[in-house]
Amino acid sequence: MTALHTQPAADVPAATTSTLDLAGVSRWYGNVVAVNDVTMRLGPGVTGLLGPNGAGKTTLLHMMAGFLAPSRGAVTLDGEPTWRNPGVYRRLGLVSEREAVHTFLSAYEFVLASAKLHRLPDPEAAARRAIDLVEMQDAQGRRIGTYSKGMRQRTRVAAALVHDPQVLLLDEPFNGMDPRQRLHMMALLHRLGDAGRTILFSSHILEEVEQVSGTVQVMVAGRLAASGDYRTIRRLMTNRPHVFTVRSTDDRALAVALMAEPSVGGVELGRTGLTVKAGDYGAFTRALPRIALRHGIRVRQLLPEDESLESVFSYLVEA
Amino acid sequence: MSTVTWITARGLFGRSRFLMLLPLPLILIGLAVLCRSLGVDPGQWGPPVLVGLGLAVVLPVVALIVGTGVLGAEIDDGTVVHILTKPLPRWQIVLPKLAVAAAVSAVTAGIPLYVAGVLADSVRLGLALVAASAAGALAYSALFLALSLVTRRPVLLGLVYVLIWEGLLGRFVNGTKVLSIQQWVIALADRMAPTSLLGTTVSVPVAAVLTALVAVGFTVLAIDRLRSFSVAGETS
């Protein structure tokens, strides 16, 4: 993940920060509840909005962006409601999932039009800066209709960034991008987050979220299932044993010794090492070096196996 | 020119849908030229061509295509979100779009109506038709622009109004004429250039007041609906 931080944040000026608040927000369509009593606060940094298809991510994003009225609860940006309040768009940018662009314009014309609609003092300079940020300089004069899906997506991001918003909401921003473009977009989101912007992006692809953000908001069936750093979330799931892979100079002897440790629920001896199930993350990781030392065994590798976002996510969805 | 006006105009002329505007005015001019060159009595061809084709079909259909296109097409393809995510009061989006729609409809319907009016009677009738149809274009555009914000099928509903209400009911049920933009245009044109070729039961003050009311009322409705514009959530 550190590789993503190679470029300096110099092209993204520091900004005053904004906070997006959702207080008891629900949204229903007839009898169908799309979003159910969600409360969250988004501050500076990059947050991933994660959930399976149909979990209510897009509905939630639309409410945050002022494109849908909450059936109950309130969505506010720095205390101001986002619904029926176009003034919030001075501080908020949105990249919606739908691939909708004015195909008859060039990227430059499109981004410049956005800058002018924002009444920016120097729209041409703002448009050029936004196009530079997404690296679309080479194709900026061509009609958008001739672009690939990834290029259109970058153009849309440039248009959403042209007024340098404090809050940027992106719905499935990596769709249609090739791996290089994805890396570039991830790096850009990181730089924006590091510069104090509040960035929220939704995705149903775990690897994307894992690479861009440690902080996640997990939606499952319209509810906010978990919120925070996913590694911390995992450690709070005390009803699920933590799985570790341990390799040592004497796996069999270590297995025997570990079985006497109260925090260990089970040990499996495999060809590549031990798979240890521990009930208490902290107690086990403190006990292991002590046990190894006592038995004269050297631990070569200790890997938490289910601390990936994928396992955290599957535990949440199954729950 | 405001950026909204520029994008709206580019969007309108950049779509193939715009080509649909051309045949009707050409047919209207063609028929008028044909009748005049064949020496047919204007009393015979004037009413069917000026009213039956020009004011009952060309003006409302052109206004329908343009009026539902300036905002409806952007709602359909989702590009409206780009304009709506700007800190603009919604009237600054609706009014430029209405101006483009009304101007394009007025010019597209006004030119053939002028030509037909001159050939049928006089320059005065031609100019009266241009002025009255411009007022009608504004009322129709406001109505169809608002329709594109209150329903997902603005073209269908617009056609029902033009063909069923104005076209069919207006012919057989006299009372419906009071709520017919087409009849208001006829009343206004007839007032500016009195002629036997145009005739309606609607009085001029009623026509003028209702034209203004429709134009203003539906514009206000469109602005209010755009303030509460919702993007449907994905329910997949």
Side-chain angles (χ1 to χ4, degrees):
Chain A
M1 201 156 80
T2 47
L4 294 174
H5 290 276
T6 47
Q7 282 178 279
D11 53 347
V12 184
T16 51
T17 57
S18 281
T19 310
L20 192 62
D21 270 305
L22 284 79
V25 170
S26 299
R27 171 74 206 195
W28 49 80
Y29 299 94
N31 289 330
V32 181
V33 180
V35 170
N36 193 348
D37 196 20
V38 169
T39 297
M40 66 167 82
R41 166 170 278 210
L42 298 171
V46 184
T47 304
L49 180 62
L50 189 59
N53 283 334
K57 302 188 296 293
T58 298
T59 303
L60 195 68
L61 266 170
H62 283 158
M63 286 193 283
M64 290 177 180
F67 278 104
L68 203 56
S71 304
R72 184 180 291 163
V75 182
T76 52
L77 177 62
D78 298 329
E80 279 182 55
T82 57
W83 175 244
R84 278 176 77 98
N85 183 12
V88 297
Y89 299 118
R90 285 190 193 92
R91 280 167 290 151
L92 189 143
L94 170 72
V95 181
S96 60
E97 186 189 8
R98 208 167 154 195
E99 192 197 333
V101 268
H102 295 98
T103 49
F104 49 86
L105 300 179
S106 71
Y108 178 72
E109 287 175 323
F110 182 63
V111 179
L112 180 64
S114 284
K116 285 180 174 171
L117 288 170
H118 274 291
R119 307 260 156 83
L120 299 180
D122 187 352
E124 287 82 10
R128 278 193 298 273
R129 186 189 62 84
I131 283 175
D132 288 353
L133 266 182
V134 298
E135 291 184 0
M136 280 290 295
Q137 301 95 319
D138 293 343
Q140 61 177 308
R142 254 169 50 204
R143 278 180 58 241
I144 295 173
T146 64
Y147 288 175
S148 70
K149 205 173 171 185
M151 290 164 84
R152 288 179 189 211
Q153 185 77 316
R154 281 149 67 198
T155 305
R156 279 153 25 88
V157 173
L161 283 175
V162 74
H163 60 302
D164 195 18
Q166 282 102 315
V167 178
L168 182 64
L169 307 173
L170 307 101
D171 198 2
E172 302 279 355
F174 304 105
N175 274 0
M177 289 192 174
D178 66 34
R180 201 193 70 83
Q181 290 168 347
R182 273 173 201 235
L183 274 178
H184 175 256
M185 183 60 66
M186 286 173 184
L188 175 61
L189 296 186
H190 269 293
R191 296 207 306 280
L192 291 166
D194 291 347
R197 308 300 191 282
T198 300
I199 311 289
L200 179 81
F201 73 100
S202 77
S203 179
H204 62 282
I205 299 171
L206 298 162
E207 292 77 17
E208 289 177 355
V209 181
E210 198 162 28
Q211 284 177 55
V212 180
S213 171
T215 311
V216 291
Q217 305 282 350
V218 184
M219 295 281 295
V220 179
R223 283 184 175 276
L224 187 63
S227 175
D229 183 280
Y230 65 83
R231 297 170 200 89
T232 314
I233 294 171
R234 173 65 190 95
R235 280 165 212 172
L236 291 171
M237 294 178 177
T238 48
N239 58 337
R240 292 245 178 208
H242 294 263
V243 182
F244 294 90
T245 300
V246 186
R247 290 173 66 190
S248 68
T249 47
D250 189 344
D251 288 342
R252 191 171 291 274
L254 184 62
V256 173
L258 282 175
M259 281 310 290
E261 164 62 32
S263 66
V264 173
V267 181
E268 192 182 315
L269 185 60
R271 262 185 291 175
T272 55
L274 299 175
T275 304
V276 181
K277 286 184 178 169
D280 185 328
Y281 184 94
F284 171 72
T285 49
R286 282 192 298 274
L288 179 67
R290 200 178 60 238
I291 295 166
L293 198 63
R294 195 189 309 144
H295 292 83
I297 301 166
R298 181 178 292 175
V299 175
R300 288 188 172 142
Q301 189 183 45
L302 170 66
L303 273 180
E305 277 300 306
D306 63 345
E307 218 183 42
S308 67
L309 181 56
E310 188 175 349
S311 52
V312 173
F313 183 66
S314 62
Y315 292 161
L316 286 168
V317 173
E318 284 165 18
Chain B
M1 185 164 46
S2 84
T3 309
V4 177
T5 310
W6 178 73
I7 291 181
T8 305
R10 287 280 304 255
L12 194 62
F13 297 118
R15 289 175 213 265
S16 54
R17 180 167 159 156
F18 180 69
L19 295 175
M20 290 165 64
L21 297 180
L22 295 178
L24 280 173
L26 290 178
I27 291 172
L28 180 58
I29 293 176
L31 274 178
V33 170
L34 189 69
C35 292
R36 179 67 187 250
S37 60
L38 291 176
V40 183
D41 174 24
Q44 295 282 312
W45 67 266
V49 171
L50 292 178
V51 178
L53 181 62
L55 298 180
V57 178
V58 177
L59 175 63
V61 169
V62 165
L64 179 68
I65 294 170
V66 179
T68 55
V70 286
L71 194 58
E74 290 187 3
I75 292 172
D76 283 347
D77 66 19
T79 49
V80 72
V81 169
H82 290 293
I83 291 180
L84 292 180
T85 49
K86 304 296 179 287
L88 298 173
R90 283 0 188 178
W91 64 265
Q92 289 186 14
I93 296 172
V94 169
L95 291 190
K97 286 188 174 290
L98 177 64
V100 170
V104 171
S105 303
V107 169
T108 312
I111 292 172
L113 278 170
Y114 174 77
V115 173
V118 171
L119 292 177
D121 188 80
S122 60
V123 171
R124 187 176 174 188
L125 178 62
L127 291 175
L129 284 170
V130 168
S133 64
L138 183 64
Y140 276 124
S141 300
L143 169 67
F144 297 139
L145 184 69
L147 271 188
S148 62
L149 280 161
V150 297
T151 168
R152 289 189 172 200
R153 300 186 188 283
V155 177
L156 184 70
L157 269 180
L159 275 177
V160 167
Y161 172 74
V162 171
L163 297 180
I164 308 290
W165 183 267
E166 288 194 338
L168 202 62
L169 293 178
R171 197 171 299 168
F172 302 113
V173 187
N174 220 14
T176 60
K177 287 185 176 174
V178 179
L179 292 179
S180 160
I181 297 173
Q182 177 197 326
Q183 296 298 322
W184 305 341
V185 173
I186 294 172
L188 293 175
D190 195 41
R191 172 76 179 77
M192 288 182 266
T195 162
S196 59
L197 300 176
L198 304 173
T200 179
T201 53
V202 180
S203 73
V204 173
V206 168
V209 169
L210 288 180
T211 303
L213 269 182
V214 163
V216 173
F218 281 102
T219 304
V220 170
L221 176 68
I223 293 169
D224 184 65
R225 293 305 297 240
L226 196 64
R227 275 196 197 116
S228 307
F229 184 81
S230 295
V231 177
E234 305 290 317
T235 48
S236 57

